[in-house]
Amino acid sequence: MALDMISSLPSSLIETILCFLPIQEAARTSILSREWRYNWTTIPKLVLDENTFEVSINNLSDPERTVKIPSLRIRLTIRDLVRRCKFLCAMDEIMLLHRGPILELSLSMYAENNCIEVDQIIAFLSRQNTVRKLKLDLDNVGNQKIVPLSIFSLDQLTDLSLEGCDIELPPSSTYGFASLYIWMTDIDDDYLIIELFECLPVIKHLTIWSHVIECIAGGLVPSELPMSLVNLKYFCLNQVCFTHSHALPFLVLVLKSSPNLEKLKLRILPEDLCSFPEDYLSYIAPKDYSDICLGHLDELEIRNFTNLETELEFVKFMLAKSPTLKRLRIYLYKKVPKDVELIKLLKVLLHSPQASPVVDIIVKA
């Protein structure tokens, strides 16, 4: 008789194996045997994705026919409507049957502000209060979901990723997030840049999209923060437009306040893709900020580099202010003429003042 070697493994190892399976596949292991019936209910890492949730369409006569869903303000195919209904039922079943601590949860779904299922998930996590990493990716058509304040009662939470939702920070609060990722998220207008960073005293990894800057700038980027971001090691600014009035001042503000920053990553939004009104555009070049010294920065990566003068001046500024820089990686925007610009850019950078004697500069098309 064949030996069941998997069932004899330690329960912690079985949980780890189940974490690598889609939640549906993990739940299907319950039919293997009586011992496996509830193994899936204790896995500590859950990934719930409406778009990849599998449904059977064998019994659907016309799965591609669309129907209007007034509560969602969208039209769905019969296939997607069935998927959504079964996905929401699966979420309810998971909250009902899950027995162990949840350490990581990723939720991706269509959710406007009237979507109570997101509130139920966060309430469920609040009761457990064990989650350390939480990702909410909430697709919508404009009426963004407002994340309930109960999310800030998760005092074990260290990594928070928010996409496509609104967030209102409660007053006079600080959060122990070690990693924070914010994309297309509106922050309540009453909370400006200073208030945002005051809430994040131990932040180590910060990723933010430049669309958010305008929301939290309140029309003005301060010249400095009253606190130092001494724990910040990694900062990524996505879709930054160097001709936008908030982008470069915000970037410089973070650099001035982050004495222990080790890695800076920028993804530039080229001018031909910028959608800012004309009165928001102005020429901004880095000044000689004598009070900035990035004594721990060892890696700088810039993507979609268009070789604007503001972009080039910023790179030269970083070379002059980073005595421990080891790697500079620049990836040109696809519309930039490659051969001529590569040679010209390399010549300029190689002849620019460099604080680091060992920096490796690579420019790629």
Side-chain angles (χ1 to χ4, degrees):
M1 184 174 62
L3 295 176
D4 182 2
M5 299 181 63
I6 295 182
S7 295
S8 63
L9 294 174
S11 58
S12 59
L13 186 53
I14 292 177
E15 286 181 355
T16 302
I17 294 173
L18 292 178
C19 284
F20 285 97
L21 296 176
I23 187 62
Q24 286 176 288
E25 296 298 325
R28 286 169 184 157
T29 62
S30 62
I31 66 172
L32 294 178
S33 68
R34 180 178 299 176
E35 289 75 17
W36 277 81
R37 185 174 182 183
Y38 294 109
N39 277 346
W40 74 273
T41 65
T42 62
I43 58 178
K45 181 179 179 180
L46 298 177
V47 178
L48 308 175
D49 190 336
E50 181 178 0
N51 293 323
T52 60
F53 196 77
E54 295 181 2
V55 295
S56 174
I57 60 172
N58 294 334
N59 298 326
L60 300 180
S61 59
D62 188 6
E64 301 306 321
R65 181 170 63 88
T66 62
V67 293
K68 186 175 182 180
I69 313 297
S71 60
L72 299 180
R73 302 191 303 168
I74 59 174
R75 297 186 68 89
L76 293 178
T77 64
I78 298 296
R79 181 206 306 267
D80 291 338
L81 182 59
V82 171
R83 175 188 290 115
R84 182 170 183 83
C85 292
K86 292 190 175 183
F87 177 73
L88 296 179
C89 289
M91 286 174 53
D92 290 338
E93 187 174 3
I94 289 171
M95 288 187 287
L96 179 64
L97 296 178
H98 200 279
R99 300 185 300 178
I102 296 177
L103 304 181
E104 299 181 31
L105 187 141
S106 175
L107 174 62
S108 301
M109 63 179 294
Y110 186 92
E112 292 197 333
N113 196 33
N114 58 0
C115 181
I116 63 172
E117 288 78 14
V118 176
D119 299 350
Q120 292 172 341
I121 283 286
I122 295 178
F124 171 68
L125 296 176
S126 299
R127 291 193 295 271
Q128 280 202 340
N129 200 19
T130 58
V131 67
R132 297 173 186 171
K133 296 184 179 181
L134 175 61
K135 177 181 179 181
L136 299 179
D137 183 358
L138 308 179
D139 190 18
N140 53 67
V141 292
N143 186 18
Q144 290 183 323
K145 174 66 183 176
I146 298 178
V147 177
L149 291 179
S150 57
I151 195 173
F152 298 107
S153 67
L154 304 172
D155 51 23
Q156 302 299 315
L157 191 64
T158 59
D159 293 70
L160 176 63
S161 175
L162 300 175
E163 302 187 28
C165 53
D166 291 354
I167 182 172
E168 295 180 354
L169 301 177
S172 304
S173 300
T174 59
Y175 313 105
F177 301 144
S179 177
L180 181 62
Y181 179 102
I182 307 178
W183 178 79
M184 292 294 288
T185 301
D186 292 335
I187 298 179
D188 187 357
D189 291 339
D190 293 336
Y191 298 93
L192 307 182
I193 289 176
I194 291 178
E195 282 77 6
L196 173 66
F197 284 112
E198 282 180 341
C199 293
L200 305 170
V202 298
I203 191 73
K204 293 181 180 179
H205 297 80
L206 177 62
T207 299
I208 191 168
W209 289 62
S210 61
H211 301 79
V212 183
I213 298 173
E214 194 171 351
C215 299
I216 63 178
L220 178 65
V221 175
S223 58
E224 61 183 29
L225 294 176
M227 79 297 293
S228 180
L229 305 174
V230 293
N231 296 292
L232 189 63
K233 305 290 186 181
Y234 170 88
F235 179 57
C236 177
L237 184 57
N238 278 324
Q239 289 197 346
V240 54
C241 183
F242 270 72
T243 55
H244 185 255
S245 58
H246 291 140
L248 195 55
F250 177 80
L251 179 56
V252 170
L253 175 67
V254 174
L255 295 179
K256 288 177 61 177
S257 307
S258 308
N260 297 313
L261 190 67
E262 296 175 357
K263 183 174 181 179
L264 175 63
K265 197 171 185 178
L266 303 177
R267 287 188 174 91
I268 293 176
L269 179 65
E271 277 193 308
D272 60 343
L273 299 179
C274 287
S275 58
F276 302 114
E278 288 186 2
D279 57 349
Y280 275 72
L281 299 176
S282 60
Y283 178 82
I284 304 173
K287 301 176 182 178
D288 181 19
Y289 294 95
S290 57
D291 56 341
I292 294 182
C293 181
L294 301 169
H296 296 274
L297 188 72
D298 61 25
E299 186 172 348
L300 171 61
E301 178 182 307
I302 303 179
R303 292 186 176 271
N304 290 338
F305 194 85
T306 63
N307 212 13
L308 285 176
E309 185 175 353
T310 46
E311 298 171 4
L312 183 57
E313 289 298 317
F314 177 78
V315 176
K316 292 163 63 177
F317 164 77
M318 294 298 293
L319 285 172
K321 294 292 184 178
S322 308
T324 62
L325 190 65
K326 296 182 179 65
R327 291 174 296 276
L328 170 60
R329 301 289 183 267
I330 296 178
Y331 300 87
L332 295 181
Y333 182 47
K334 61 183 180 180
K335 292 186 179 180
V336 174
K338 299 300 183 290
D339 296 336
V340 176
E341 294 299 325
L342 275 172
I343 297 174
K344 187 194 322 182
L345 180 57
L346 277 171
K347 284 184 177 179
V348 171
L349 295 181
L350 291 174
H351 289 85
S352 298
Q354 299 174 13
S356 171
V358 295
V359 60
D360 179 26
I361 301 176
I362 293 182
V363 180
K364 293 184 178 181

